[in-house]
PDB file of all heavy atoms in Angstrom:
ATOM      1  N   THR A  15      -3.306  24.675  -4.725  1.00 95.00           N
ATOM      2  CA  THR A  15      -3.782  25.488  -6.001  1.00 95.00           C
ATOM      3  C   THR A  15      -4.832  24.693  -6.735  1.00 95.00           C
ATOM      4  O   THR A  15      -5.218  25.294  -7.839  1.00 95.00           O
ATOM      5  CB  THR A  15      -2.472  25.596  -6.881  1.00 95.00           C
ATOM      6  OG1 THR A  15      -1.873  24.292  -7.301  1.00 95.00           O
ATOM      7  CG2 THR A  15      -1.475  26.373  -6.220  1.00 95.00           C
ATOM      8  N   GLU A  27      -3.610   8.829 -10.039  1.00 97.00           N
ATOM      9  CA  GLU A  27      -2.531   8.753 -11.018  1.00 97.00           C
ATOM     10  C   GLU A  27      -1.196   8.441 -10.458  1.00 97.00           C
ATOM     11  O   GLU A  27      -0.330   7.791 -11.151  1.00 97.00           O
ATOM     12  CB  GLU A  27      -2.475  10.120 -11.803  1.00 97.00           C
ATOM     13  CG  GLU A  27      -3.631  10.244 -12.843  1.00 97.00           C
ATOM     14  CD  GLU A  27      -3.382  11.434 -13.796  1.00 97.00           C
ATOM     15  OE1 GLU A  27      -2.412  12.265 -13.467  1.00 97.00           O
ATOM     16  OE2 GLU A  27      -4.042  11.656 -14.791  1.00 97.00           O
ATOM     17  N   GLU A  89     -13.308  26.588  17.421  1.00 97.00           N
ATOM     18  CA  GLU A  89     -11.901  26.902  17.386  1.00 97.00           C
ATOM     19  C   GLU A  89     -11.354  27.178  15.943  1.00 97.00           C
ATOM     20  O   GLU A  89     -10.641  28.131  15.619  1.00 97.00           O
ATOM     21  CB  GLU A  89     -10.936  25.944  17.991  1.00 97.00           C
ATOM     22  CG  GLU A  89     -10.887  26.236  19.507  1.00 97.00           C
ATOM     23  CD  GLU A  89     -10.325  27.355  20.009  1.00 97.00           C
ATOM     24  OE1 GLU A  89      -9.549  28.169  19.273  1.00 97.00           O
ATOM     25  OE2 GLU A  89     -10.501  27.845  21.103  1.00 97.00           O
ATOM     26  N   ARG A 102      -5.752  40.831   5.554  1.00 98.00           N
ATOM     27  CA  ARG A 102      -5.984  42.327   5.149  1.00 98.00           C
ATOM     28  C   ARG A 102      -4.978  43.223   5.709  1.00 98.00           C
ATOM     29  O   ARG A 102      -4.546  44.161   5.010  1.00 98.00           O
ATOM     30  CB  ARG A 102      -7.351  42.769   5.833  1.00 98.00           C
ATOM     31  CG  ARG A 102      -8.635  41.954   4.986  1.00 98.00           C
ATOM     32  CD  ARG A 102      -9.958  42.443   5.705  1.00 98.00           C
ATOM     33  NE  ARG A 102     -10.980  41.805   5.181  1.00 98.00           N
ATOM     34  CZ  ARG A 102     -11.763  42.156   4.048  1.00 98.00           C
ATOM     35  NH1 ARG A 102     -11.309  43.448   3.468  1.00 98.00           N
ATOM     36  NH2 ARG A 102     -12.762  41.631   3.495  1.00 98.00           N
ATOM     37  N   GLN A 149       9.765  33.337  -2.865  1.00 96.00           N
ATOM     38  CA  GLN A 149      10.452  34.593  -2.586  1.00 96.00           C
ATOM     39  C   GLN A 149       9.758  35.593  -1.646  1.00 96.00           C
ATOM     40  O   GLN A 149      10.503  36.521  -1.037  1.00 96.00           O
ATOM     41  CB  GLN A 149      10.778  35.279  -3.847  1.00 96.00           C
ATOM     42  CG  GLN A 149      11.739  34.470  -4.797  1.00 96.00           C
ATOM     43  CD  GLN A 149      11.821  35.167  -6.190  1.00 96.00           C
ATOM     44  OE1 GLN A 149      10.942  35.982  -6.696  1.00 96.00           O
ATOM     45  NE2 GLN A 149      12.908  34.878  -6.858  1.00 96.00           N
ATOM     46  N   ALA A 150       8.412  35.249  -1.405  1.00 97.00           N
ATOM     47  CA  ALA A 150       7.835  36.160  -0.407  1.00 97.00           C
ATOM     48  C   ALA A 150       8.132  35.824   0.930  1.00 97.00           C
ATOM     49  O   ALA A 150       7.881  36.548   1.900  1.00 97.00           O
ATOM     50  CB  ALA A 150       6.321  36.113  -0.694  1.00 97.00           C
ATOM     51  N   ALA A 162       6.417  42.981   6.166  1.00 98.00           N
ATOM     52  CA  ALA A 162       4.917  42.956   6.098  1.00 98.00           C
ATOM     53  C   ALA A 162       4.335  41.887   6.861  1.00 98.00           C
ATOM     54  O   ALA A 162       3.141  41.433   6.794  1.00 98.00           O
ATOM     55  CB  ALA A 162       4.480  42.692   4.603  1.00 98.00           C
ATOM     56  N   PRO A 171      -0.719  24.309  21.236  1.00 98.00           N
ATOM     57  CA  PRO A 171      -0.692  22.868  20.724  1.00 98.00           C
ATOM     58  C   PRO A 171      -1.089  21.972  21.769  1.00 98.00           C
ATOM     59  O   PRO A 171      -1.720  20.742  21.420  1.00 98.00           O
ATOM     60  CB  PRO A 171       0.837  22.671  20.300  1.00 98.00           C
ATOM     61  CG  PRO A 171       1.570  23.792  21.036  1.00 98.00           C
ATOM     62  CD  PRO A 171       0.653  24.928  21.124  1.00 98.00           C
ATOM     63  N   ALA A 174      -4.701  22.029  21.460  1.00 98.00           N
ATOM     64  CA  ALA A 174      -5.122  21.464  20.123  1.00 98.00           C
ATOM     65  C   ALA A 174      -5.161  19.904  20.156  1.00 98.00           C
ATOM     66  O   ALA A 174      -6.064  19.329  19.621  1.00 98.00           O
ATOM     67  CB  ALA A 174      -4.171  21.908  19.064  1.00 98.00           C
ATOM     68  N   ARG A 176      -5.669  17.979  22.764  1.00 98.00           N
ATOM     69  CA  ARG A 176      -6.814  17.539  23.536  1.00 98.00           C
ATOM     70  C   ARG A 176      -8.115  17.662  22.790  1.00 98.00           C
ATOM     71  O   ARG A 176      -8.978  16.837  22.918  1.00 98.00           O
ATOM     72  CB  ARG A 176      -6.703  18.339  24.781  1.00 98.00           C
ATOM     73  CG  ARG A 176      -5.520  18.023  25.831  1.00 98.00           C
ATOM     74  CD  ARG A 176      -5.664  18.687  27.165  1.00 98.00           C
ATOM     75  NE  ARG A 176      -4.490  18.374  27.997  1.00 98.00           N
ATOM     76  CZ  ARG A 176      -3.599  19.311  28.237  1.00 98.00           C
ATOM     77  NH1 ARG A 176      -3.656  20.585  27.829  1.00 98.00           N
ATOM     78  NH2 ARG A 176      -2.522  18.882  28.987  1.00 98.00           N
ATOM     79  N   HIS A 189       5.719  18.066  10.385  1.00 97.00           N
ATOM     80  CA  HIS A 189       7.148  18.537  10.097  1.00 97.00           C
ATOM     81  C   HIS A 189       7.748  19.304  11.280  1.00 97.00           C
ATOM     82  O   HIS A 189       8.117  20.494  11.187  1.00 97.00           O
ATOM     83  CB  HIS A 189       7.206  19.345   8.846  1.00 97.00           C
ATOM     84  CG  HIS A 189       5.963  20.413   8.853  1.00 97.00           C
ATOM     85  ND1 HIS A 189       5.912  21.507   9.583  1.00 97.00           N
ATOM     86  CD2 HIS A 189       5.003  20.432   7.808  1.00 97.00           C
ATOM     87  CE1 HIS A 189       4.861  22.057   9.189  1.00 97.00           C
ATOM     88  NE2 HIS A 189       4.205  21.471   8.079  1.00 97.00           N
ATOM     89  N   ARG A 197      11.303  26.369  11.899  1.00 80.00           N
ATOM     90  CA  ARG A 197      10.404  25.716  12.806  1.00 80.00           C
ATOM     91  C   ARG A 197      11.112  24.503  13.421  1.00 80.00           C
ATOM     92  O   ARG A 197      10.817  23.434  12.851  1.00 80.00           O
ATOM     93  CB  ARG A 197       9.093  25.503  12.360  1.00 80.00           C
ATOM     94  CG  ARG A 197       8.238  26.649  11.713  1.00 80.00           C
ATOM     95  CD  ARG A 197       7.049  26.268  11.050  1.00 80.00           C
ATOM     96  NE  ARG A 197       6.396  27.184  10.409  1.00 80.00           N
ATOM     97  CZ  ARG A 197       5.424  27.033   9.659  1.00 80.00           C
ATOM     98  NH1 ARG A 197       5.001  25.839   9.330  1.00 80.00           N
ATOM     99  NH2 ARG A 197       4.715  28.111   9.089  1.00 80.00           N
ATOM    100  N   LEU A 207       3.662  17.007  24.416  1.00 98.00           N
ATOM    101  CA  LEU A 207       2.382  16.808  23.447  1.00 98.00           C
ATOM    102  C   LEU A 207       2.207  15.255  23.532  1.00 98.00           C
ATOM    103  O   LEU A 207       0.932  14.839  23.602  1.00 98.00           O
ATOM    104  CB  LEU A 207       2.716  17.073  22.118  1.00 98.00           C
ATOM    105  CG  LEU A 207       2.905  18.777  21.851  1.00 98.00           C
ATOM    106  CD1 LEU A 207       3.341  19.047  20.478  1.00 98.00           C
ATOM    107  CD2 LEU A 207       1.499  19.331  22.218  1.00 98.00           C
ATOM    108  N   ASP A 221      10.981  18.734   4.013  1.00 95.00           N
ATOM    109  CA  ASP A 221      11.651  19.660   4.789  1.00 95.00           C
ATOM    110  C   ASP A 221      12.568  19.305   5.874  1.00 95.00           C
ATOM    111  O   ASP A 221      13.110  19.925   6.671  1.00 95.00           O
ATOM    112  CB  ASP A 221      10.749  20.764   5.408  1.00 95.00           C
ATOM    113  CG  ASP A 221      10.099  21.655   4.319  1.00 95.00           C
ATOM    114  OD1 ASP A 221      10.658  21.605   3.138  1.00 95.00           O
ATOM    115  OD2 ASP A 221       9.263  22.352   4.473  1.00 95.00           O
ATOM    116  N   ALA A 267      -2.953   1.298   9.738  1.00 98.00           N
ATOM    117  CA  ALA A 267      -3.812   0.519  10.519  1.00 98.00           C
ATOM    118  C   ALA A 267      -4.044   1.063  12.030  1.00 98.00           C
ATOM    119  O   ALA A 267      -5.197   0.919  12.493  1.00 98.00           O
ATOM    120  CB  ALA A 267      -3.461  -0.944  10.400  1.00 98.00           C
ATOM    121  N   LEU A 269      -3.737   4.046  13.120  1.00 98.00           N
ATOM    122  CA  LEU A 269      -4.394   5.342  13.093  1.00 98.00           C
ATOM    123  C   LEU A 269      -5.924   5.135  12.991  1.00 98.00           C
ATOM    124  O   LEU A 269      -6.684   5.633  13.763  1.00 98.00           O
ATOM    125  CB  LEU A 269      -3.836   6.090  11.841  1.00 98.00           C
ATOM    126  CG  LEU A 269      -4.586   7.458  11.505  1.00 98.00           C
ATOM    127  CD1 LEU A 269      -4.051   8.496  12.579  1.00 98.00           C
ATOM    128  CD2 LEU A 269      -4.222   7.914  10.217  1.00 98.00           C
TER     129      LEU A 269
END
Side-chain angles (χ1 to χ4, degrees):
T15 59
E27 286 191 346
E89 279 295 341
R102 291 178 180 274
Q149 294 173 337
R176 296 188 181 107
H189 41 67
R197 300 174 185 167
L207 292 172
D221 289 348
L269 177 72

